[in-house]
Amino acid sequence: KGNIFLATSVTKKLDHYIYTCPIAFGEALTTQVDQFAALWLLIFVYYYLDMMEGNYCFRIDGDTIGRCLIMGGCIAFGYLTKPSVLVGMAFFAVLLLIKCIRRKESALILLKLAGGGYFVE
């Protein structure tokens, strides 16, 4: 039931997007595959879609850090559940990186949010 709710929430956000991840929605709706792995991917995509909005700007604030921590947790728990779920997450992460480059986001802020640059000034 949780996956169906998340799949519905994600599809509501996708009304103006061209690309989707059909395998994630397929996994969320069938009992023949690993539901728990699909859960982590769906949560990841749910927060990912907010970051892909045209007016979204990465900042070092509580909201953005919280989203990044949740998405990082999804990656970690997705890997622990079923490593093949990382293929979908990697695809979305690359698309997000491309979008950040196009929006001319600060590389320093992105590095800090990735966890490797909190000590970079």
Side-chain angles (χ1 to χ4, degrees):
K1 292 181 183 180
N3 285 354
I4 292 172
F5 171 75
L6 283 168
T8 304
S9 298
V10 167
T11 54
K12 285 180 184 177
K13 288 185 177 185
L14 286 176
D15 62 345
H16 60 281
Y17 286 96
I18 296 171
Y19 50 87
T20 61
C21 187
I23 189 68
F25 302 121
E27 286 187 7
L29 299 175
T30 181
T31 58
Q32 298 175 351
V33 293
D34 191 359
Q35 294 280 329
F36 196 56
L39 172 75
W40 298 117
L41 181 59
L42 287 168
I43 295 170
F44 182 88
V45 170
Y46 182 81
Y47 285 98
Y48 161 85
L49 290 173
D50 291 336
M51 293 180 174
M52 287 297 285
E53 291 294 322
N55 59 355
Y56 189 84
C57 181
F58 283 92
R59 297 182 288 273
I60 303 295
D61 62 358
D63 181 54
T64 305
I65 291 172
R67 289 174 190 269
C68 290
L69 287 174
I70 289 170
M71 291 174 76
C74 289
I75 292 170
F77 290 122
Y79 174 75
L80 290 173
T81 304
K82 185 176 181 182
S84 63
V85 78
L86 295 181
V87 174
M89 291 179 182
F91 173 75
F92 287 119
V94 168
L95 290 177
L96 183 59
L97 180 61
I98 292 169
K99 182 79 168 190
C100 289
I101 292 169
R102 286 186 180 162
R103 288 191 298 215
K104 298 182 179 161
E105 297 276 352
S106 168
L108 182 60
I109 290 176
L110 293 175
L111 181 63
K112 286 182 178 183
L113 289 172
Y118 280 106
F119 302 108
V120 178
E121 294 291 329

